[in-house]
Amino acid sequence: MAANHDLTIPPFEQIWARMNVDEAAVRADTKDLRFEGGAGAVLKIGMCLGVIGFFLGVLAYFVSNTLGILIILPSVAIMGVSVFVGLKRAGAASDTFTESVGAPLMRQLLDGMASHDTVSGDASPMQAAYTPRGEVPRPLLAASGLVYDTRMVQEDVVTGRLGATDFVLADLKWRSAITPEERARENSEPSERQWREWRSVARKRLNDTGLRVTRSMVQAEAETMYWRSRRRSALEQKLADALDARMREAHRLGPSLVFFSADFHKHFTSETYFLPRKRVRGLEAMEKREADGAGLEPMRLVGTQMPDGVDGWTSDQAEARYLVTPQLIEALNAFVAEAGSDAVAVSFTDNRMNIAVGVDTDRFSLDPTNGDIRAAAEQIYRDMVRFLRLVQDFDLNTRIWTKD
């Protein structure tokens, strides 16, 4: 696919030579991510002892309840402390890798990229910025329609412009995603059956007062008891907030859902989606009933198709065929094959094209199973270049149409 701006990308060997990384020092500084060294060995032993003790306690419980509990409680405590400390140390090691290798690599790559206008021959540096702890605005994630939880943990955000095409790329952590059903259950009121149980408890409590009990008194007491049970003390809230913060930090070590969004250079009023048939790795899904309710219908592709397991939906067949050209689908299919994932979604909304790809690894960080620092940096380089090349494909659209 020819582009309005050709993208010049510095080779990895050139970037790596300029970074002058002390691999041995970085490997030593990140050993906690691989649970190496004395502290790592102690933590691994603690986790193993905790797991073994827990199962032995469960077996002992059937012989003696007291003995089982006496074994289970300290085992769970040992395992919990080992996991907590291990994750904290692993997170610190991951941050060390980002500071010493990841961030410099990203900045060298972005600073070394340039766009060449294929008509005038003029060259200009790519305008881009990298923020390790950045976030894509939640409204943009929501408008894309690709993810079911816009509150996912995020990191490694790249924002920039190539030619006339502005873009954003981010690493979302799909294991931190909460489905709408789970979130609704967290915030929902009790069911009728649960209200009956609360009223039964309230009636018993009111009967003990010796007062004449009415239905309205029982309902009021049941509601008071329920909402009091939901209210957290200041200490409980502080502990919950601390646990949530620790969980979010732990999720930063988890697998990636890479989100990419770019200006499509055309005003369009329709909505077009290519979504998986069921939710997977943080990606939203679409069923016919939901599509009907949203005014969408199956998209009819001619002579081309998206990857297996992905269905197309649109609110305007004619405009969708204008937006989704065979060449664009071909480029997307090649990209998906290169990314090596079957969890992919694409949308055309709010004059933007959005892509999300879910994988089973942390895509822009050090692999905890491999201490090869150079290999890890080269993998990050290849992944980033793969996504940034999409910008070149999208910049083609300025030749075909503009918003003016």
Side-chain angles (χ1 to χ4, degrees), residues 42-262:
V42 170
L43 291 171
K44 284 191 284 189
I45 291 172
M47 293 178 196
C48 291
L49 289 176
V51 172
I52 293 170
F54 176 80
F55 284 107
L56 289 176
V58 171
L59 293 175
Y61 186 83
F62 292 103
V63 178
S64 168
N65 293 359
T66 303
L67 177 62
I69 291 173
L70 288 175
I71 296 175
I72 289 173
L73 290 179
S75 298
V76 170
I78 292 171
M79 182 169 57
V81 170
S82 299
V83 170
F84 179 84
V85 174
L87 287 175
K88 185 175 182 179
R89 293 173 69 92
S94 179
D95 288 343
T96 297
F97 176 80
T98 298
E99 293 168 6
S100 58
V101 178
L105 171 69
M106 293 285 197
R107 294 186 177 111
Q108 286 273 358
L109 171 61
L110 296 174
D111 290 346
M113 296 177 75
S115 62
H116 296 264
D117 191 297
T118 56
V119 178
S120 66
D122 295 336
S124 59
M126 174 182 272
Q127 303 169 29
Y130 167 67
T131 310
R133 290 295 183 99
E135 289 191 349
V136 175
R138 286 175 58 190
L140 178 57
L141 290 175
S144 75
L146 299 185
V147 300
Y148 56 77
D149 185 4
T150 61
R151 303 179 190 180
M152 272 186 276
V153 174
Q154 302 183 41
E155 62 179 9
D156 298 321
V157 176
V158 176
T159 56
R161 173 179 289 268
L162 171 65
T165 302
D166 69 83
F167 65 91
V168 61
L169 181 149
D171 181 2
L172 282 57
K173 302 302 182 179
W174 58 261
R175 279 190 181 153
S176 68
I178 299 176
T179 66
E181 292 78 11
E182 290 171 327
R183 201 173 293 282
R185 282 195 295 271
E186 288 180 358
N187 301 321
S188 64
E189 291 191 12
S191 64
E192 183 53 40
R193 179 185 63 79
Q194 291 170 319
W195 272 128
R196 285 198 299 269
E197 293 173 356
W198 278 107
R199 285 194 292 267
S200 175
V201 174
R203 185 176 293 278
K204 290 178 182 178
R205 178 175 295 185
L206 290 171
N207 285 337
D208 291 341
T209 66
L211 300 173
R212 179 176 176 273
V213 179
T214 65
R215 179 185 295 180
S216 59
M217 288 173 61
V218 171
Q219 182 64 30
E221 180 67 13
E223 291 179 1
T224 300
M225 291 169 61
Y226 168 72
W227 290 113
R228 189 175 293 154
S229 71
R230 294 286 298 268
R231 190 183 305 131
R232 290 173 172 169
S233 66
L235 177 60
E236 288 174 326
Q237 186 61 52
K238 191 172 293 186
L239 289 173
D241 291 343
L243 179 60
D244 181 66
R246 179 53 53 198
M247 287 299 298
R248 292 185 72 82
E249 284 301 311
H251 281 306
R252 293 188 185 280
L253 303 174
S256 302
L257 172 64
V258 184
F259 176 82
F260 178 86
S261 179

Side-chain angles (χ1 to χ4, degrees), residues 22-32 34 36 373:
D22 185 341
E23 294 184 57
V26 175
R27 190 178 300 110
D29 290 341
T30 58
K31 65 180 183 297
D32 285 337
R34 300 179 297 278
E36 295 176 350
I373 304 302

